[in-house]
Amino acid sequence: MKEKKDKNKKAEKVEKTNVMRLLDSAGISYGVKSYEVDENDLSGIHVADQLGQDVETVFKTLVLKGEKTGYLVCCIPVAEELDLKKVAKVAKDKKVEMIHVKDITKITGYVRGGCSPLGMKKPYPVVFDASAGEFEEIYVSGGRIGLTLKVPLADLLKVTGGKLADIIMKTE
């Protein structure tokens, strides 16, 4: 048993989060990256800069509520904006709205800036922007501010029951 524990140790020594435990129990390997938190800038672009990663590979987790279908989770590149009409269409709902920041913890169990598509209080439908399909691995929150995980996209889709769809605004 001790040998198995040592084998699962990550390069960085960090306290396990529920997200990490969930990935471990599913047998999914992942990379752990910590970053310096700037309370004045909780943006995903700041996180990508801290990680030294391209903003297209670092995904933020957004929680929405459909008019009829209830809560859903969307993961999009940190520099992008969500297209609510596209999300509503994917959710098969007339209208979806972002939940209020004050409700994040109550609904997900996470705090703003540390919300992950994995390990929420309840399982919600998860949609990753189609652009994630361009990468074998993407970065998502590790379940707390200052912690990001690099996870194979195929495994993320499997463990979240997620799907890929075009859900970001086009800037052209």
Side-chain angles (χ1 to χ4, degrees):
M1 190 75 158
K2 187 175 184 337
E3 189 179 308
K4 188 176 181 186
K5 270 189 178 177
D6 292 342
K7 187 179 175 186
N8 286 334
K9 276 190 179 175
K10 307 297 172 230
E12 293 184 46
K13 194 151 179 121
V14 293
E15 187 181 322
K16 292 259 182 183
T17 64
N18 286 340
V19 176
M20 295 162 81
R21 285 185 204 89
L22 192 115
L23 291 170
D24 287 344
S25 68
I28 296 171
S29 63
Y30 54 91
V32 179
K33 295 272 189 178
S34 296
Y35 60 89
E36 196 173 310
V37 177
D38 179 351
E39 291 298 327
N40 298 315
D41 186 1
L42 291 177
S43 75
I45 293 170
H46 172 74
V47 173
D49 288 346
Q50 289 287 309
L51 297 173
Q53 296 301 316
D54 199 343
V55 292
E56 283 88 25
T57 64
V58 181
F59 282 65
K60 58 186 170 184
T61 303
L62 305 170
V63 182
L64 300 94
K65 186 172 186 183
E67 196 172 69
K68 296 178 183 159
T69 54
Y71 296 111
L72 71 146
V73 177
C74 292
C75 295
I76 65 172
V78 294
E80 300 296 339
E81 278 188 59
L82 202 57
D83 186 320
L84 295 178
K85 288 181 181 177
K86 288 180 181 179
V87 175
K89 189 174 180 181
V90 170
K92 297 182 174 126
D93 208 328
K94 280 186 154 193
K95 182 180 177 185
V96 296
E97 293 180 339
M98 295 284 296
I99 64 167
H100 197 281
V101 173
K102 69 177 176 54
D103 296 327
I104 289 173
T105 303
K106 180 176 75 180
I107 294 164
T108 68
Y110 293 119
V111 297
R112 177 181 179 262
C115 195
S116 177
L118 300 157
M120 291 191 181
K121 283 183 173 183
K122 294 180 181 176
Y124 300 115
V126 179
V127 181
F128 290 87
D129 183 63
S131 65
E134 298 171 23
F135 307 101
E136 279 188 40
E137 299 175 309
I138 63 171
Y139 292 85
V140 295
S141 173
R144 73 170 165 252
I145 298 172
L147 185 68
T148 291
L149 303 179
K150 183 179 182 181
V151 186
L153 178 63
D155 290 335
L156 263 178
L157 291 171
K158 192 164 103 179
V159 77
T160 61
K163 62 182 175 181
L164 296 174
D166 177 18
I167 55 172
I168 59 174
M169 290 191 169
K170 298 296 178 214
T171 53
E172 296 151 38

